[in-house]
Amino acid sequence: MQPEQVDRLREAADAGVSFDGLDVERGDDGYRFAVPGDERTGLDADGFRAAAADAAGYVTNWCFWNETAPSYDARRSFLRWLESADERAVPDRYESLTDGVVRHWGELELTATLGDDGHRTYDLRHETDGGRPVADLDAFEDPLEARELVTYDEKGRYRPLKTAPTLRTGWVFPGLSARELTETVGHVYPATVENWHREREGDLDVSHWRETAERQTGIYDIVDELDREAVERIAATCCVDSQCLKRREWEYDEGTEVDVDGGDGEFPCREPCSLVVAAARKWTTLEREETHTYEFELTPSEKEQVEEIIDTVADGRTDDVREADVYEGANRYRARYLREKLFGDEGNLAGVPTED
Amino acid sequence: MQALVIVAHGSHLNPDSSTPTYRHADTVRETGAFDEVVTGFWKEEPHFREVLRTVESDEVYVVPLFISEGYFTEEVIPRELRVDDDVGLDDPDPGWEPRRGAPEDVDKSVHYCGPVGTHDAMSDVIVQRAESVTGDTDVGDGFGLTVVGHGTERNENSAKAIEYHADRIRERGRFDEVKALFMDEDPEVDDVTDFFESDDVVVVPLFIADGYHTQEDIPEDMGLTDDYRKGWETPGEVDGHHIWYSGAVGTEDLMADVVLERAAEAGADVGDAIETVRELTGGVRPPADD
Ligand code: SF4
């Protein structure tokens, strides 16, 4: 603790300070300085300094939250959540913070560590890299660099949905300030902190499917044609935890829930995202088609193979099927053989033309 | 506190679509003119719907990184920002007045600025783009310049913006010839060499980001390459002309200047940031009589 920190607290006592268990004020008979279990009154400047010295953690904690931490309420409550500030008293919290307090946010692992004079530093990395020495990872300082890091997945493919569970590993922001931490989280998972905060305040402005669909114009104007069953399928397709780490809070409409599980994510999804709306447009046009009865001849294994191929693509496992693993239906050789056998010259399944 | 929010289209498919938006935001951020500088997108995140809540400032200047007034600037963006009753416009004729709105979901004052593409300073960016692609800060003499965009079929106002800037640049007399050309109507960019006598022609597409129009269609349509995947020379030979194809004008660093001009016009206090940005990005000053 620096002497100036105590001076600043003493100056603030004129207006009164009441923060995280620390109570300081100035009365006619001198200062009052109180922390849980230790209340001193009628203090002069020296007495105030002595009291502060015995409760240094409370003083530096006040300095950090009052002077260093961001003022924006969403970011503040996020940082306080990180160190369980509303649940744990300062001495207890400081003890854990000395070793580093770990929290998870989507795929991120965030560690808050106490430095000198109440300063906190933050480490942000992929949870898979938890516990790895910084020297083994690519280290970054500037929050803006996170934008590039989250643009591509491990295989170098573009990630159009920032909350898809496909963040690359192998990097770390080891020494962020409070401000930089919230900024970096904002680049990795935009607006999640703000919406999480609104939800905690009971103020999350959810826009359900129907409302969102009816708002659309232009080429997306048609998505409100989709019925409730189709919306169920969309939620099961796009919004489950294996595809998106937001917890879906939007329903079909105010009074009609979507039965599919919304997920366990820390942060909420308040309305169907642009990716879902764009995909819904395609599904709307597809759902306009009538069914036809086709007749195909398939062996039982061929039918199962078709099912396996669909499963493998839907679960994003095509790259996991080994080149020579011909026991897997979605193996490339197996699929090529099936195509040779079943497709006619026109590329039609079992030679049966597609009817319009 | 005042924030600058740059809103752009973005893409679910093309990772480069947002790159210029980020870069111009970074340039403005460096000037320190705003307490906060953030970006929001139609197809990326944060979405238009959620971008306002990511800033702390009460005064928010929203600059659309779009080429013209139209569907996005008049309908989509105001609606998604929840300020449509205040700033939406029925008659999207060029001639922009900044507007103010109070969004429904956050307690802030939104200053809705004009799109970058129709600001006068955009003409300078087009010229600077020509300098960049030729590597010649005096380019003009002996050169033709064409500004290229979609035709009216896609967006009537974008065609107007293209003609507007072509006219302005022509009036300055710096280039021997200046033409507006289009992708899907006459005069078509396919026949670019028919429209120029100059041996050297700079081709600047008035697009915000590089994507399949600027990196696939236009180079192939002009005959600069028969397959965009093989790339092309700069300059490339087409019918005896040297074609200097610049790619999207929106990737030019000086675009940050236009963003600032739009915000300043709506009342943002930008101090000397406009000059700083012009210095940072090597911006050209228009001639005194312009
Ligand atoms: S709608 Fe929400 S939960 Fe569903 S994919 Fe989009 S962001 Fe995720």
Side-chain angles (χ1 to χ4, degrees):
Chain A
M1 182 176 69
Q2 299 299 315
E4 300 78 43
Q5 293 182 302
V6 181
D7 292 344
R8 291 199 296 272
L9 177 63
R10 196 159 55 81
E11 281 158 27
D14 289 348
V17 168
S18 182
F19 186 78
D20 279 357
L22 171 71
D23 279 292
V24 170
E25 60 202 334
R26 185 180 194 165
D28 295 338
D29 60 340
Y31 296 100
R32 172 172 174 271
F33 188 111
V35 295
D38 183 5
E39 180 179 7
R40 305 183 196 182
T41 51
L43 303 174
D44 61 9
D46 283 342
F48 189 94
R49 273 193 283 274
D54 290 341
Y58 284 95
V59 178
T60 61
N61 182 64
W62 172 79
C63 285
F64 172 76
W65 289 109
N66 192 46
E67 296 167 355
T68 310
S71 49
Y72 193 29
D73 50 1
R75 289 171 206 150
R76 244 178 122 74
S77 36
F78 177 71
L79 291 161
R80 288 180 67 76
W81 169 81
L82 270 186
E83 56 182 71
S84 307
D86 294 334
E87 292 95 56
R88 302 176 65 186
V90 172
D92 177 28
R93 218 191 309 156
Y94 264 36
E95 202 180 306
S96 332
L97 277 171
T98 309
D99 300 330
V101 173
V102 177
R103 285 275 203 176
H104 292 100
W105 191 257
E107 286 185 286
L108 294 178
E109 178 165 301
L110 312 171
T111 310
T113 310
L114 190 65
D116 290 338
D117 307 324
H119 276 290
R120 273 81 160 160
T121 53
Y122 300 88
D123 177 294
L124 178 151
R125 57 177 71 190
H126 194 290
E127 59 187 353
T128 307
D129 295 321
R132 288 181 69 187
V134 169
D136 290 358
L137 303 166
D138 286 334
F140 297 90
E141 284 176 16
D142 184 350
L144 292 172
E145 289 183 293
R147 288 188 310 214
E148 176 83 22
L149 274 176
V150 303
T151 302
Y152 302 93
D153 69 8
E154 208 77 66
K155 290 175 186 145
R157 293 173 307 195
Y158 178 44
R159 298 175 67 242
L161 182 68
K162 290 267 194 337
T163 43
T166 54
L167 278 185
R168 270 156 61 181
T169 57
W171 49 271
V172 62
F173 288 78
L176 297 169
S177 69
R179 239 163 246 289
E180 290 166 341
L181 177 83
T182 54
E183 192 189 330
T184 311
V185 171
H187 291 311
V188 180
Y189 296 133
T192 54
V193 167
E194 289 80 3
N195 286 327
W196 165 88
H197 175 67
R198 288 180 84 115
E199 185 179 48
R200 281 176 32 128
E201 302 286 305
D203 193 22
L204 185 68
D205 47 342
V206 174
S207 169
H208 297 293
W209 172 268
R210 284 228 56 89
E211 200 184 319
T212 308
E214 279 159 15
R215 198 180 76 231
Q216 305 301 318
T217 53
I219 60 170
Y220 301 111
D221 191 28
I222 60 173
V223 302
D224 59 2
E225 285 175 28
L226 285 175
D227 61 19
R228 213 189 125 239
E229 283 66 40
V231 176
E232 289 277 351
R233 288 194 285 274
I234 290 176
T237 298
C238 306
C239 306
V240 290
D241 282 350
S242 67
Q243 307 299 307
C244 176
L245 298 170
K246 283 188 190 169
R247 170 172 31 83
R248 183 182 49 74
E249 288 297 324
W250 54 264
E251 305 292 350
Y252 180 69
D253 60 28
E254 184 75 44
T256 323
E257 292 205 352
V258 170
D259 291 334
V260 181
D261 187 30
D264 300 321
E266 196 68 61
F267 36 79
C269 172
R270 41 164 299 284
E271 77 175 56
C273 66
S274 72
L275 198 72
V276 158
V277 171
R281 172 174 183 251
K282 182 67 188 169
W283 285 313
T284 308
T285 55
L286 294 177
E287 292 287 3
R288 283 173 179 170
E289 293 182 15
E290 297 295 329
T291 57
H292 286 268
T293 305
Y294 295 97
E295 224 173 274
F296 304 113
E297 300 253 321
L298 298 175
T299 67
S301 294
E302 285 165 353
K303 173 178 170 290
E304 280 175 5
Q305 192 188 345
V306 170
E307 290 158 358
E308 250 186 278
I309 289 171
I310 293 174
D311 269 341
T312 307
V313 172
D315 293 337
R317 286 187 288 108
T318 46
D319 285 355
D320 302 339
V321 179
R322 289 167 297 174
E323 179 101 10
D325 191 355
V326 292
Y327 296 93
E328 286 272 359
N331 170 272
R332 195 173 76 244
Y333 292 124
R334 286 282 305 281
R336 290 176 65 82
Y337 186 93
L338 192 67
R339 184 172 67 179
E340 281 302 318
K341 180 173 173 190
L342 293 184
F343 285 16
D345 294 341
E346 310 282 307
N348 283 321
L349 183 60
V352 178
T354 306
E355 294 170 45
D356 293 325
Chain B
M1 286 176 81
Q2 60 171 10
L4 174 69
V5 175
I6 304 178
V7 289
H9 193 281
S11 167
H12 292 146
L13 300 172
N14 171 13
D16 300 323
S17 171
S18 50
T19 313
T21 313
Y22 289 148
R23 217 179 41 243
H24 307 321
D26 293 351
T27 305
V28 176
R29 195 176 292 114
E30 256 175 70
T31 68
F34 290 87
D35 300 295
E36 300 170 282
V37 179
V38 304
T39 50
F41 300 94
W42 174 231
K43 298 281 189 174
E44 296 181 35
E45 296 152 83
H47 192 266
F48 295 159
R49 288 281 278 180
E50 299 187 344
V51 68
L52 293 177
R53 63 190 62 190
T54 70
V55 298
E56 178 175 8
S57 307
D58 307 325
E59 300 292 322
V60 183
Y61 293 84
V62 176
V63 177
L65 210 57
F66 283 79
I67 285 306
S68 56
E69 288 94 6
Y71 176 57
F72 277 98
T73 61
E74 304 307 322
E75 186 169 340
V76 175
I77 300 170
R79 179 188 77 214
E80 300 292 291
L81 293 178
R82 301 173 179 80
V83 291
D84 43 350
D85 288 345
D86 303 322
V87 310
L89 201 86
D90 298 333
D91 172 25
D93 249 1
W96 184 273
E97 290 294 327
R99 310 159 201 166
R100 265 179 101 111
E104 290 156 25
D105 59 325
V106 288
D107 187 15
K108 299 179 189 302
S109 177
V110 164
H111 304 258
Y112 191 53
C113 311
V116 288
T118 51
H119 193 278
D120 282 357
M122 196 70 190
S123 305
D124 302 343
V125 183
I126 295 169
V127 171
Q128 172 122 339
R129 193 84 198 124
E131 294 180 10
S132 299
V133 69
T134 56
D136 177 0
T137 50
D138 293 321
V139 64
D141 223 10
F143 272 71
L145 172 85
T146 170
V147 187
V148 182
H150 284 302
T152 43
E153 274 169 36
R154 289 284 185 87
N155 183 336
E156 191 182 345
N157 289 320
S158 99
K160 280 189 206 160
I162 283 144
E163 276 167 358
Y164 180 71
H165 291 299
D167 289 347
R168 279 171 50 86
I169 297 168
R170 185 180 310 109
E171 279 160 25
R172 294 178 187 178
R174 172 168 170 169
F175 290 87
D176 290 359
E177 305 163 84
V178 179
K179 272 243 150 18
L181 297 178
F182 301 98
M183 290 180 65
D184 31 288
E185 68 178 47
D186 287 334
E188 277 197 36
V189 67
D190 302 36
D191 313 317
V192 56
T193 52
D194 294 353
F195 299 106
F196 287 92
E197 304 207 331
S198 321
D199 289 342
D200 288 278
V201 180
V202 181
V203 179
V204 181
L206 196 67
F207 284 79
I208 291 296
D210 275 321
Y212 72 100
H213 289 310
T214 65
Q215 294 303 301
E216 300 174 21
D217 290 357
I218 299 177
E220 287 184 6
D221 289 353
M222 290 192 301
L224 205 50
T225 177
D226 51 12
D227 180 350
Y228 74 91
R229 281 165 292 221
K230 291 194 241 154
W232 55 87
E233 300 278 317
T234 307
E237 292 289 321
V238 179
D239 306 332
H241 293 261
H242 309 298
I243 301 293
W244 303 77
Y245 180 60
S246 75
V249 67
T251 61
E252 185 68 31
D253 288 342
L254 186 60
M255 281 290 285
D257 169 75
V258 190
V259 171
L260 272 169
E261 305 261 8
R262 278 302 194 196
E265 186 177 272
D269 175 10
V270 301
D272 54 6
I274 291 177
E275 286 71 36
T276 312
V277 162
R278 283 192 172 249
E279 269 164 39
L280 276 174
T281 59
V284 279
R285 273 256 159 246
D289 61 350
D290 190 55

